[in-house]
Amino acid sequence: MGDFFTVASLVFVVGSGIRLATPFLLAGLGEAIGQRSGVLNLGVDGVMLLGAFGAYWTIYETQSPVLGVFVGLGVGLVMGVVYAVITVGLKAEQGISGIGIFLFGLGISDLLFQKQVGTPFPIRGFGDWHVPLLSDIPKVGEMFFQHSVLVYVAFALVPAVAFLLNRTTFGLNVRAVGENPAAADSLGVSVARVRTTTILMANTLAGLAGAVLSIELGIFQQNLTNGQGFIAIALVYFGAWRPVGVMGGALLFGLVSATVLQWKTLGLVSGAASSLTAMAPAVLTILALVVISRTVGQPAALTRPFERGH
Amino acid sequence: MADHTVPLLELRGITKRFPGVLANDDVHLDVLPGEIHALLGENGAGKSTLMKVLYGLYRPDAGEVLLSGEPSGIATPADAIDAGVAMIHQHFMLVPTLTVAENVALGLADNGMLLDTTAVAGRIRELSARYGLHVDPSAYVWQLAVGERQRVEIVKALYRDCRLLVLDEPTAVLTPLEVDELFVTLRTMAADGVGLIFISHKLDEVLALSDRITVMRDGRVTGETTPGQTSKGELADMMVGRAVQLAPDRPAADVGEVRLAVDGLRVMGDRGLESVTGCTIEVRAGEVVGIAGVSGNGQRELAEAVAGLRQPTGGTVAIDGTDVTGQHPSRVRAAGLAYVPEERMRDGVVGEFTVAENLILVDHDRDPYCRRGLLRLGAIADACRDLVARFTVKTPSLETTTSNLSGGNIQKLILARELSGEPRVLVAAQPTRGVDIGAAEYIHRRLIDERSSGTAVLVISEDLDEVLALSDRVAVMFAGRIVEVMDVADATVERLGLLMAGTGVEEVGAA
Amino acid sequence: MHKRNHRKWLGLAALLAVLALVAGACGSDGDDSAGGDDGFRIAIVAPSASNDLAFTQSIVDGVGALTGVSAVDVTDGTFIVDDAAAAIRGYAEEGYDLVIAHGSQYGGSLQEIAADFPDVAFAWGTSSDTFGLPNVSAYTAASDQGGYVMGVMAAAMTNSGVIGVIGPIAVGDAKLYVDGFVNGVQANSGGATANVNYIESFSDVALAAEAAQGHIANGADILTGTAQMVVGATGVAAEHGAKWFGTQSNQTALGADIVVASQVYKWEVVLQGVVDGIKDGDLGGEAHTIDLANGGLVIEFNDAVDAGHARTLGENTIKSIAAGLKQTGA
């Protein structure tokens, strides 16, 4: 039995939390962009699975993690086209379409895995990249600057997405389309074009999130994501549709998971308490959601297909 | 007016058919540069369809749209903007979560990749100063009052150098003072050569503002005239197609005991702020008390609290001396309240239900509609047929889905249901909003009849003409409380307008 | 309105069509080789992938090793119990000679289904409960025995004195294995400690990986774990050069230079008897256990990893357990 409040233990928990948060963050950022334009995509988890398998299989065949990342992105983009056709083109109901995408991703990723690979052979990813100078800072470097390059990419995307949404013309269009598509349309902004673009971005990021998962774990397995995509959606609500908020939610979720894991590793909790603490991340997220949903409104046109003249 | 100039806009023989409806039938309309052209007509007369044809939202089955003598070529809203045509819809096309500057900048063709709202804000200030449109570019739209939002809409149009501006019922949401300010702005625009189409059903305003008036009914133009050549009565007759009595006859009131007593009522609004801040008012048997006020001053919350739909945080409501404060709506109704809600589609009927189902919505669990938990369909049909006939609800059948009826007929249906219970108190919120003149005339008559038969009637309306036409006493509501109650004989539009704007009211807020 | 609804349905129809195709493709997944009416046909319903290098693969491999079987059909990935129940019932209706419900979570469903088909033989595990039904065989593994052997070996091999154990939920086969392993570590006089971390999930690969990171951060140089989510942990072990002990299947494929040994389940050792019994008209009613003594449990060493004297120690421990000389369980 060890002590949780040692420097080494806390340093590990922070690093662990950051690693766990990364896939949530990427998928959540994408979902946030989509939702800001009024598109709910419940299929994130399915797209993540496809991205994860695409990246895994590519690296399995070519041993190139870079190529794997691009395949993950590409798979996401393709799924984005599919989802855009269904929800923007055919104006189908977003909730059920998203569930369809999820089931599709769940089934196809496993089927392809069974047919093409079969046994979960390990693959090699990027390995940790120690940021020059910064990683040498005692403790801090260990917590923040000794991660896979994909972790840095994910966190660098937070200000990038915030800038996109708040400081660019495209971002203005996105926010307008998500709140009042009729107003945007009346000013000549193409609702369909804006939403198609955000869907492509959202799904590409979901594909990347999946790729990060399989590359970092070095493995693929049926239902590898284990519902992470759905948690990412909850974290978008948690983060009040803001990139920084989504990051906060992902980090909180990751850090709480890491803390609970560390407690168990150190033997501080066991038996029934172990089962209960395992629920902590989910319970915390739900509590925060309840509080936030009372104070912040979702994009007014979320899940509503747009048709001119209605 | 310079009669020799080429019209800015010319609609020639516009015909637009929808399945079963001829929405526009060979409609001609032209607007000269610098002209304010009023388009007058009831709901369903074809005004909106015509404007949607102009704006490229509908393609006409016949006819053509000319701008400055050339075919307009407008097929999308973007084309319309390029051609200098702007439209201010009745429901504002604004994004509440964006700032004024962002709303104006939205969709501008010269936006770069990066958003630069400072330049936009500068030009907004310029336009504000020139046209007397006070707006703060950095304010969020959700923070603005309705009148300010409308100014943002006008700024949007001016920013895009519009040559032709269509305003759909622009005064419906304004105080008399704001209406005056709006008219000044519109006249300035007209003086700059902008052509304006002013859609309205308020006859006074049409006469006061416009250079020319086109009246539509049932998809056709029924007359074109100028304010100098016509009168309110004549315009109303052209709109409805028969002689209309604009103000109902009001026999002398025979006022009895207090039926509805609201005392010091406090109610929270949707945003968690107190909307009704200590409201006191009494309504007696046999009188109509009208509450005038600009939308958002607590009228809706007051009505809902009286009806038991919103929990008050303080004060009391009594019906016939029985305290019903905060009671369940069914208890309030049992005490004798009938309620015609402001949001009739949300609170008044279940849109997907049939006419008959909506008619028995309140009493479906009681004799004669229900025995031992089973609906008695025969009795229901009989009663509903009777109500539909008595209240002249135009419906194909009792089984018609209610949402397919017009606003006026739905309002008559609600009135039929509410009055069939012979209430002690009737609260009617915005009873004729969005209702055509013919139906409004009928509804007004029924309200007066109800009052004359001894019911206490409380009418809440943002339409001053309506308040003045119906009320025996007029109350003005501002910032959540009744600031003054007066006899209708003492109520002038000017006086009410000042009170509605909060001027002339000593001490507001502190309680 | 009409138009919109129409489009909505169109979209849905398109989606459903795609899904149906996928479902069809998945449904045909399985290695049924013959449809011979008179041969002996076995059906397996299992919760994870049939090549998961863990729980499900153990039964698929086991059935594959049986003799006198003409056809095998597998429905895998049915982690939803209702789906599994539907599959079990379907196989019973189709008249398979033996229907195997491979997952203790299927017990409740099986109890009902088996009673409805008294002429069909069922087997299920891991459990020792036959519900008193004559057509149900139960099978379980004394996985604490292999756990104990590997615990003894791990304690002998560790340099840091810390060994990390990753479990799913503390029930059934997983709990047996983990308890046996910990007992094995403690039986060694070297004073090594085993940190146990149940991550409360059979499927969260990312969490299993992070649990492995945690063990290593806390000084562990040898890891083990059970259930299908450990594939995340083996990658972490490989990255940090920690050794790994596997169970349920030979996990050498997950890391040829780190897997010291794996406890492998040979279900065929007991299932062969069940199959032969059915052919003789005995549909079941008994509980079976595979263990080191009957050869149902085998410790497979990876020769690529030099375990030194620990291997000798392990082999001796196997012998004494098989001879009934050691208490391995909780």
Side-chain angles (χ1 to χ4, degrees):
Chain A
M1 195 167 286
D3 186 358
F4 176 69
F5 292 100
T6 61
V7 174
S9 164
L10 293 176
V11 165
F12 169 74
V13 165
V14 172
S16 176
I18 289 172
R19 281 192 295 272
L20 284 171
T22 303
F24 293 119
L25 177 58
L26 283 168
L29 284 177
E31 182 70 15
I33 297 173
Q35 290 202 9
R36 284 299 280 271
S37 76
V39 181
L40 173 72
N41 181 9
L42 290 179
V44 188
D45 205 57
V47 178
M48 282 177 74
L49 280 167
L50 290 168
F53 172 72
Y56 171 81
W57 187 28
T58 305
I59 298 170
Y60 176 74
E61 297 288 347
T62 68
Q63 279 76 49
S64 165
V66 175
L67 205 58
V69 168
F70 279 104
V71 169
L73 289 167
V75 167
L77 187 67
V78 170
M79 291 312 292
V81 172
V82 172
Y83 194 64
V85 167
I86 294 172
T87 58
V88 177
L90 300 172
K91 296 190 167 62
E93 214 269 317
Q94 290 175 8
I96 193 71
S97 309
I99 295 294
I101 293 278
F102 162 64
L103 293 172
F104 175 84
L106 180 65
I108 287 287
S109 63
D110 184 42
L111 179 69
L112 289 175
F113 176 66
Q114 300 300 338
K115 295 280 184 225
Q116 303 300 330
V117 187
T119 300
F121 289 110
I123 53 166
R124 285 196 76 79
F126 289 99
D128 290 346
W129 180 59
H130 291 217
V131 181
L133 302 178
L134 292 175
S135 62
D136 298 333
I137 308 170
K139 312 305 172 200
V140 175
E142 206 180 320
M143 282 190 279
F144 300 113
F145 301 109
Q146 301 185 3
H147 289 288
S148 158
V149 67
L150 296 172
V151 173
Y152 305 122
V153 169
F155 282 86
L157 277 172
V158 174
V161 171
F163 185 84
L164 179 80
L165 286 174
N166 297 318
R167 294 273 181 273
T168 67
T169 302
F170 174 73
L172 177 66
N173 292 348
V174 169
R175 289 181 284 146
V177 163
E179 290 289 341
N180 189 348
D185 181 63
S186 75
L187 293 175
V189 174
S190 166
V191 176
R193 196 174 304 154
V194 169
R195 287 191 170 169
T196 301
T197 311
T198 59
I199 288 172
L200 295 183
M201 288 177 164
N203 282 273
T204 304
L205 283 176
L208 178 62
V212 167
L213 198 60
S214 62
I215 292 172
E216 289 306 299
L217 295 171
I219 208 82
F220 185 84
Q221 198 183 54
Q222 177 193 46
N223 192 21
L224 179 79
T225 54
N226 195 39
Q228 290 198 6
F230 290 98
I231 293 168
I233 295 170
L235 294 177
V236 171
Y237 286 75
F238 180 98
W241 294 271
R242 282 160 188 76
V244 174
V246 173
M247 179 177 78
L251 279 175
L252 178 71
F253 197 90
L255 285 172
V256 173
S257 302
T259 303
V260 170
L261 266 182
Q262 178 73 343
W263 285 347
K264 289 196 252 185
T265 304
L266 297 175
L268 299 176
V269 289
S270 57
S274 164
S275 314
L276 287 176
T277 49
M279 289 190 277
V283 171
L284 261 178
T285 308
I286 291 167
L287 284 180
L289 273 178
V290 170
V291 174
I292 286 164
S293 66
R294 280 166 182 250
T295 51
V296 186
Q298 63 180 28
L302 188 59
T303 76
R304 293 224 298 270
F306 175 70
E307 198 140 13
R308 188 175 281 164
H310 278 273
Chain B
M1 277 296 101
D3 287 341
H4 307 293
T5 47
V6 181
L8 193 57
L9 168 73
E10 202 180 347
L11 298 171
R12 278 192 197 156
I14 301 293
T15 298
K16 178 69 190 171
R17 274 184 208 88
F18 293 111
V21 187
L22 189 54
N24 284 160
D25 182 9
D26 191 29
V27 174
H28 290 261
L29 179 84
D30 64 285
V31 182
L32 301 173
E35 184 188 33
I36 302 180
H37 193 136
L39 185 55
L40 192 63
E42 302 225 278
N43 293 325
K47 296 171 306 204
S48 317
T49 304
L50 191 65
M51 291 303 110
K52 282 181 175 169
V53 167
L54 161 62
Y55 209 60
L57 294 170
Y58 291 153
R59 189 168 290 276
D61 296 316
E64 53 183 340
V65 180
L66 303 180
L67 286 175
S68 302
E70 305 284 328
S72 77
I74 295 174
T76 65
D79 295 343
I81 292 164
D82 289 345
V85 178
M87 193 179 296
I88 297 179
H89 299 79
Q90 205 174 347
H91 301 288
F92 296 146
M93 291 294 185
L94 295 172
V95 184
T97 50
L98 300 184
T99 65
V100 169
E102 287 176 327
N103 266 285
V104 173
L106 186 61
L108 286 179
D110 55 357
N111 279 337
M113 279 276 284
L114 299 185
L115 191 58
D116 179 16
T117 47
T118 48
V120 176
R123 179 119 191 266
I124 290 174
R125 286 197 192 89
E126 244 174 73
L127 291 168
S128 302
R130 182 145 146 246
Y131 289 94
L133 292 161
H134 175 71
V135 287
D136 172 9
S138 61
Y140 283 93
V141 166
W142 61 262
Q143 299 172 316
L144 304 183
V146 182
E148 293 175 286
R149 292 186 189 199
Q150 186 173 62
R151 293 202 283 274
V152 178
E153 284 283 29
I154 296 172
V155 168
K156 265 164 66 179
L158 290 169
Y159 199 103
R160 287 166 171 75
D161 297 321
C162 77
R163 296 186 293 151
L164 179 69
L165 176 63
V166 180
L167 299 111
D168 191 357
E169 305 269 5
T171 62
V173 293
L174 302 182
T175 64
L177 210 66
E178 286 175 319
V179 170
D180 291 344
E181 287 170 9
L182 172 68
F183 284 5
V184 171
T185 303
L186 297 184
R187 287 200 186 96
T188 312
M189 289 177 72
D192 286 355
V194 176
L196 294 134
I197 298 178
F198 179 78
I199 300 176
S200 181
H201 66 262
K202 290 188 183 172
L203 305 172
D204 286 320
E205 290 172 356
V206 165
L207 289 169
L209 179 68
S210 47
D211 300 312
R212 251 194 311 166
I213 304 167
T214 293
V215 185
M216 286 183 74
R217 185 178 77 239
D218 294 338
R220 306 165 148 271
V221 172
T222 52
E224 194 203 288
T225 179
T226 62
Q229 296 170 337
T230 188
S231 66
K232 272 175 79 171
E234 194 181 274
L235 288 175
D237 295 352
M238 279 198 265
M239 274 167 78
V240 182
R242 61 178 167 82
V244 177
Q245 190 183 10
L246 286 174
D249 290 329
R250 217 147 35 86
D254 178 14
V255 180
E257 80 286 2
V258 173
R259 286 273 179 83
L260 173 67
V262 176
D263 189 21
L265 195 67
R266 295 179 169 274
V267 189
M268 300 298 264
D270 291 334
R271 285 190 186 270
L273 299 172
E274 194 165 67
S275 293
V276 179
T277 57
C279 175
T280 301
I281 192 163
E282 285 183 348
V283 187
R284 294 164 179 275
E287 71 166 348
V288 174
V289 173
I291 296 185
V294 181
S295 150
N297 274 287
Q299 299 100 311
R300 187 164 64 86
E301 290 81 1
L302 170 65
E304 288 178 2
V306 168
L309 299 173
R310 200 177 269 267
Q311 195 70 25
T313 51
T316 58
V317 178
I319 289 174
D320 254 349
T322 314
D323 185 3
V324 295
T325 315
Q327 303 237 359
H328 191 268
S330 62
R331 303 281 292 270
V332 183
R333 283 181 176 278
L337 180 94
Y339 178 52
V340 177
E342 172 178 342
E343 298 271 346
R344 69 180 73 100
M345 289 314 292
R346 195 190 69 191
D347 302 332
V349 292
V350 181
E352 303 300 310
F353 275 19
T354 65
V355 169
E357 283 167 337
N358 272 304
L359 279 170
I360 63 160
L361 209 53
V362 175
D363 297 318
H364 65 272
D365 55 348
R366 273 196 285 275
D367 210 46
Y369 301 144
C370 177
R371 290 255 172 87
R372 286 189 289 278
L374 296 178
L375 289 176
R376 302 176 66 221
L377 298 179
I380 290 169
D382 290 345
C384 291
R385 252 193 302 279
D386 176 54
L387 283 174
V388 164
R390 274 205 288 141
F391 285 81
T392 67
V393 181
K394 275 186 220 151
T395 173
S397 80
L398 290 176
E399 304 310 314
T400 302
T401 303
T402 305
S403 57
N404 291 338
L405 301 187
S406 74
N409 279 304
I410 291 174
Q411 193 71 327
K412 285 185 195 172
L413 186 160
I414 294 172
L415 212 56
R417 180 184 71 211
E418 296 297 319
L419 297 185
S420 65
E422 295 177 358
R424 311 282 289 168
V425 176
L426 170 64
V427 174
Q430 318 296 349
T432 61
R433 180 195 278 172
V435 166
D436 53 70
I437 290 193
E441 181 193 12
Y442 177 83
I443 290 165
H444 284 166
R445 213 167 61 229
R446 288 309 293 228
L447 292 174
I448 293 293
D449 288 352
E450 200 59 28
R451 157 257 197 198
S452 300
S453 72
T455 308
V457 180
L458 181 66
V459 172
I460 298 172
S461 176
E462 283 152 25
D463 181 348
L464 265 190
D465 290 339
E466 178 169 78
V467 170
L468 291 170
L470 292 175
S471 310
D472 298 299
R473 290 192 295 143
V474 179
V476 178
M477 193 162 185
F478 177 76
R481 58 204 328 209
I482 302 293
V483 291
E484 196 156 324
V485 185
M486 67 194 84
D487 204 83
V488 70
D490 304 326
T492 61
V493 172
E494 291 71 27
R495 187 171 170 202
L496 294 177
L498 285 173
L499 289 167
M500 284 162 68
T503 31
V505 184
E506 285 95 62
E507 166 296 303
V508 172
Chain C
M1 256 335 260
H2 269 285
K3 194 172 163 197
R4 214 185 108 192
N5 273 333
H6 183 66
R7 283 179 169 176
K8 193 186 286 181
W9 290 117
L10 228 165
L12 252 178
L15 251 176
L16 288 176
V18 170
L19 283 174
L21 279 173
V22 175
C26 290
S28 66
D29 179 33
D31 44 332
D32 47 332
S33 43
D37 286 10
D38 36 352
F40 194 91
R41 299 191 303 152
I42 297 181
I44 303 170
V45 178
S48 49
S50 50
N51 42 13
D52 62 355
L53 288 182
F55 187 67
T56 298
Q57 183 164 355
S58 73
I59 193 73
V60 175
D61 290 351
V63 170
L66 294 176
T67 56
V69 175
S70 64
V72 178
D73 199 75
V74 182
T75 295
D76 60 356
T78 53
F79 51 90
I80 298 167
V81 173
D82 281 347
D83 292 352
I88 295 167
R89 190 174 283 277
Y91 283 129
E93 278 169 0
E94 285 171 38
Y96 276 78
D97 298 291
L98 173 62
V99 179
I100 300 176
H102 191 60
S104 46
Q105 66 268 42
Y106 302 154
S109 309
L110 186 75
Q111 189 172 2
E112 286 177 21
I113 298 168
D116 292 345
F117 294 91
D119 298 333
V120 178
F122 297 88
W124 82 294
T126 55
S127 173
S128 47
D129 186 358
T130 62
F131 316 117
L133 293 172
N135 59 333
V136 173
S137 303
Y139 56 86
T140 187
S143 40
D144 51 309
Q145 295 186 351
Y148 188 96
V149 171
M150 296 196 283
V152 167
M153 291 177 69
M157 288 175 72
T158 178
N159 295 319
S160 65
V162 182
I163 297 155
V165 184
I166 298 155
I169 298 174
V171 292
D173 184 63
K175 185 173 180 344
L176 280 179
Y177 173 75
V178 170
D179 288 347
F181 189 92
V182 171
N183 288 340
V185 171
Q186 285 163 355
N188 189 292
S189 56
T193 52
N195 293 330
V196 179
N197 192 340
Y198 284 106
I199 65 163
E200 306 299 333
S201 167
F202 280 93
S203 50
D204 197 328
V205 181
L207 212 54
E210 228 20 83
Q213 296 271 16
H215 281 310
I216 287 166
N218 282 294
D221 61 350
I222 295 178
L223 299 180
T224 187
T226 176
Q228 57 269 27
M229 80 295 167
V230 297
V231 292
T234 51
V236 173
E239 195 183 320
H240 291 88
K243 296 285 181 275
W244 178 265
F245 286 94
T247 184
Q248 293 185 334
S249 246
N250 190 329
Q251 293 179 340
T252 306
L254 289 172
D257 46 0
I258 61 159
V259 177
V260 182
S262 303
Q263 170 173 238
V264 179
Y265 294 3
K266 304 278 185 190
W267 294 114
E268 61 267 29
V269 171
V270 292
L271 289 180
Q272 190 66 56
V274 172
V275 168
D276 295 343
I278 294 167
K279 285 181 175 169
D280 294 339
D282 171 14
L283 295 184
E286 273 179 75
H288 309 271
T289 303
I290 51 171
D291 56 23
L292 291 172
N294 65 18
L297 289 180
V298 176
I299 306 297
E300 293 182 358
F301 296 94
N302 176 13
D303 294 329
V305 175
D306 180 17
H309 93 104
R311 177 153 178 177
T312 325
L313 196 59
E315 281 163 349
N316 291 337
T317 311
I318 293 170
K319 280 176 199 142
S320 49
I321 293 173
L325 300 175
K326 268 196 200 309
Q327 174 64 32
T328 57

